[in-house]
Amino acid sequence: MDWRAKRRSTRNDDEPNPNRRGRLTEEARDRLAQMREDAQAADVPPEGDRWSTWDTADHGPQPWPEWLVTDLSAVDRELGVLKTGKEADVFLLERALPGSDRSCVLAAKRYRSNDHRMFHRDAGYLEGRRMRRSREMRAVENRTSFGRNLIAEQWAVAEFAALARLWQLGAPVPYPVQRAGTELLLEFIGTDGAAAPRLAQLRPEPDELLDLWQQLVEALSLLASAGLAHGDLSAFNLMVHDGRLIVIDLPQVVDVVANPRGAEFLERDVRNIAGWFGSRGLAEESADPRALTDLLLDVAGLR
């Protein structure tokens, strides 16, 4: 008797098929992700919306701030929506340790599902970023459903990495608490649950306007020293809290050295933000876009 036929005959028809080896299909990946989400949703703590996700996330740079709650028994509770956007929504989230007075308020930035995502002009920003597997590269290039999900995670990974790097350099950015998938938890910039205003919402007096410009030059110089440009800089991507300028929204951060269009993105950032300061009355000799662009290119080592 053929031994292979004998081996096949020992398995009953109602037994499950052996597990297949190899990579999961896109459909299997989605099904597994949904199963994990369902399991997480079913395990809801009595005092919050979910258990802390700290243990399954990438963490921000150490030392961790004293105000941050890292206990695995902490719970997260959503307090409302801070901002909605084309690519992501930002929620106010409280992380607290039940039975204690320890808590912190965070900004939860969540990139939307691929059905609603509208990452515009992403091809230029993705230049210089490389995937490790050719299959993933093809999926990204062809904008398949799987590829769009990878792009979304790339945005989250890039923003989290840039924030961590810039925080360590002393740049004025929110502390990046953690990243899990396409969700970022960030230091909340504001007071008593009210977010600090965007620069675009303000009408600074002349002295304050000049001070904010000088803070901006220092911040952009720190980015350039790390070889980075914001990539989408405007008065809507800057916050002002207690007189301090904070740089936010960095998913489209550009590596000005690796990206062939890096200098172009840097120059556009400067032109856009210098135009806003000029429209608010800052003298052109103080907010000269050409002079600032030359300075940043020098700092980045591109000249």
Side-chain angles (χ1 to χ4, degrees):
M1 176 183 289
D2 186 285
W3 68 269
R4 286 171 296 184
K6 182 176 181 180
R7 185 176 180 180
R8 283 197 299 268
S9 66
T10 61
R11 183 172 61 85
N12 296 328
D13 291 338
D14 58 351
E15 290 179 351
N17 290 327
N19 292 329
R20 294 180 59 187
R21 294 185 177 181
R23 293 177 180 171
L24 291 174
T25 65
E26 181 180 338
E27 181 181 356
R29 281 174 177 265
D30 292 341
R31 186 166 60 250
L32 181 59
Q34 186 62 52
M35 289 172 62
R36 287 172 175 164
E37 289 180 11
D38 291 344
Q40 185 179 33
D43 184 20
V44 178
E47 300 180 33
D49 296 308
R50 69 182 188 187
W51 295 103
S52 167
T53 54
W54 177 259
D55 60 329
T56 59
D58 295 332
H59 301 152
Q62 295 191 47
W64 299 320
E66 291 184 1
W67 52 261
L68 179 61
V69 175
T70 60
D71 303 71
L72 300 186
S73 55
V75 297
D76 294 343
R77 182 167 62 96
E78 293 195 11
L79 303 178
V81 179
L82 291 173
K83 178 180 177 290
T84 59
K86 291 181 179 180
E87 296 91 7
D89 299 322
V90 183
F91 299 83
L92 187 65
L93 183 144
E94 179 189 49
R95 174 164 289 173
L97 184 63
S100 78
D101 59 356
R102 298 192 58 234
S103 67
C104 62
V105 177
L106 306 171
K109 183 172 185 178
R110 296 168 186 156
Y111 289 94
R112 295 184 177 185
S113 70
N114 65 321
D115 293 332
H116 304 287
R117 192 170 298 116
M118 297 175 63
F119 290 117
H120 56 293
R121 308 184 308 278
D122 58 12
Y125 294 101
L126 292 175
E127 290 187 61
R129 302 183 191 175
R130 290 292 176 262
M131 310 293 291
R132 287 178 295 179
R133 299 185 180 93
S134 59
R135 173 177 176 266
E136 293 177 349
M137 281 296 295
R138 288 195 301 272
V140 167
E141 292 168 355
N142 296 330
R143 298 302 189 270
T144 65
S145 175
F146 175 55
R148 291 195 299 272
N149 282 328
L150 286 175
I151 292 173
E153 189 155 352
Q154 271 195 291
W155 293 128
V157 168
E159 180 167 23
F160 189 73
L163 286 170
R165 187 176 177 188
L166 292 171
W167 173 268
Q168 291 175 303
L169 288 175
V173 297
Y175 176 75
V177 172
Q178 67 174 64
R179 181 193 68 85
T182 56
E183 179 190 71
L184 302 182
L185 295 188
L186 309 172
E187 174 188 4
F188 172 67
I189 307 297
T191 305
D192 296 330
R198 306 292 176 115
L199 179 62
Q201 298 173 270
L202 303 179
R203 295 294 182 270
E205 296 296 326
D207 289 347
E208 183 184 6
L209 190 67
L210 179 58
D211 178 62
L212 289 171
W213 172 260
Q214 292 170 344
Q215 289 187 53
L216 176 68
V217 171
E218 184 177 350
L220 294 183
S221 297
L222 272 172
L223 264 74
S225 71
L228 302 175
H230 187 286
D232 192 28
L233 187 62
S234 75
F236 292 97
N237 292 332
L238 296 166
M239 302 178 84
V240 180
H241 185 51
D242 293 336
R244 183 168 178 256
L245 194 74
I246 310 291
V247 182
I248 61 170
D249 292 339
L250 287 153
Q252 296 173 113
V253 65
V254 174
D255 185 325
V256 295
V257 177
N259 192 311
R261 298 174 56 194
E264 176 188 336
F265 283 114
L266 185 150
E267 183 178 6
R268 190 184 67 183
D269 278 352
V270 172
R271 186 172 62 250
N272 288 344
I273 198 61
W276 185 89
F277 275 89
S279 70
R280 293 301 184 272
L282 190 61
E284 186 174 350
E285 57 267 24
S286 298
D288 182 358
R290 185 67 262 166
L292 179 54
T293 298
D294 289 344
L295 169 66
L296 298 179
L297 290 173
D298 286 339
V299 171
L302 296 179
R303 293 175 59 116

